[in-house]
Amino acid sequence: MQRYDLVILGAGSGNMLLADELAHLRTAVVEPNRFGGTCLNRGCIPSKMYVLVADAVENARAAARLGVHATVERVDWRAVRDRIFRRIDPLHDGALDYRRKNGVDVYTTEARFVGPKVLQVGTERITADTFVVAVGSRPVVPDIPGLDSVPFHTSDTIMRIDDVPSSMAVIGGGFIAAEFGHVFDAFGTDITVVTRGPRLLTGEDEQISARFTELASRRHRVLLDARITSVERRSGGVALTVTSPDGEQVVEAEMLLVSAGRRPNTDRLDAVAGGLELDEHGHIVTDSAYRTSVPGLWALGDVANHFQLKHMANAESRIVRHNILHPEDLRTLPNALAPHAVFTSPQIAGVGLTEQEARNREIDYLASVRDYADTAYGWALEDTTSFVKVLASPHDRRLLGAHIIGPQAATLIQPLLQAMTLGLTVDRIGRDVLYIHPALTEVVEQALLAL
């Protein structure tokens, strides 16, 4: 049995652990797929490179409202795809070589726990004083009759297809469906979204969710409160039998995208055999310092939390590195805020409580909504649908939540996130901070002043 000081399972955010401070440890990394994890290879980065193209197409087509009469001659899927992955794919080999040249053993086969802190990797067994589990998550494939007998894609595979389909059925109404609906619509695909929920993006604040559903329904066919009873192969594609408030109907499409959520990879790792406690969703249970039920074994990222956010996993990686080196001075993340963004059209960002959560938890709150159209830059954009929504406590005047739908939402939310992190009152950030005129940040200022 090979013995190490440190074994890291997963080379996404787990790979970020290996800073100079850990160079004195005999270390192994186990990664059966590609260095960079989901974010680099199958998630955040390539998908946003596609979104940027989709934004350019949409902006050109919508420019007439500004007096610019432009047309899009052609969008070259293969050229875009190849540009993206010719840049991304070489990074795996570079990272692999770098680790090995710097004394890290890298295992590229599947691994499973066969006991606490004992790992079977191919034909070898390895152990270590310290383990970090960061094996991420994968798409959920729902149990729908017939789905296993038809061709379909998930977010893992859809970005590498050879040709854009003429039509696509999308199962799910979350952020993956929202982003890829935007992308493929821009490339000319006729989109049908089928979701069980009453709206799209139901995890967002209800006003954001309702507005996005309204706008998406102008671009796509959207079936709400819908249940798929069967899927079957048809000539030229697939057919979904769907039951909804409008009755039963058949949705036909050339291609099927399944975007029904993600699940942690703990089952593939046989985490239970390793003595790890799991929650009801299969995530590894950790304390606030990311220690697990096995002493000396830490966990971070999608395998341990429900956020599925790369920036959270990166922050957790920094915390775990410190805690491995300084067990007498354990750190936790400084706050429980988990900001997120959906890079669809329009862009969406949120942090903290939604209005429905505040109501359900009987938390007192004040709410303010301000349209982009109320600002000078909103006038310039000829924007009629975007807004900022902020919630604050009427007692201590601090922000409880912030939610934005519209251009630059992921950037506009940052000062609100910082104010929440620092515990500033809405009065201070609304009155004591200057907002550049006529920048779009004035819509944030106006929403705060209204409180």
Side-chain angles (χ1 to χ4, degrees), residues 128-209:
D129 298 325
T130 304
F131 275 77
V132 177
V133 180
V135 294
S137 62
R138 67 184 186 274
V140 169
V141 178
D143 185 17
I144 299 173
L147 184 59
D148 59 352
S149 63
V150 304
F152 67 87
H153 287 278
T154 68
S155 57
D156 279 0
T157 59
I158 192 66
M159 288 182 280
R160 292 182 184 262
I161 62 175
D162 287 332
D163 296 296
V164 175
S166 59
S167 58
M168 178 183 290
V170 181
I171 298 176
F175 68 92
I176 293 173
E179 292 186 353
F180 283 118
H182 172 43
V183 167
F184 281 96
D185 175 85
F187 279 88
T189 301
D190 182 40
I191 304 291
T192 300
V193 180
V194 183
T195 180
R196 293 179 300 175
R199 300 180 309 277
L200 302 176
L201 298 179
T202 53
E204 302 294 333
D205 182 88
E206 56 193 359
Q207 282 183 264
I208 299 284
S209 172

Side-chain angles (χ1 to χ4, degrees), residues 110-113 138 263-271:
E110 291 278 353
R112 302 183 75 88
F113 280 109
R138 67 184 186 274
R263 59 177 295 181
N265 286 324
T266 45
D267 56 332
R268 292 182 173 176
L269 193 62
D270 207 353

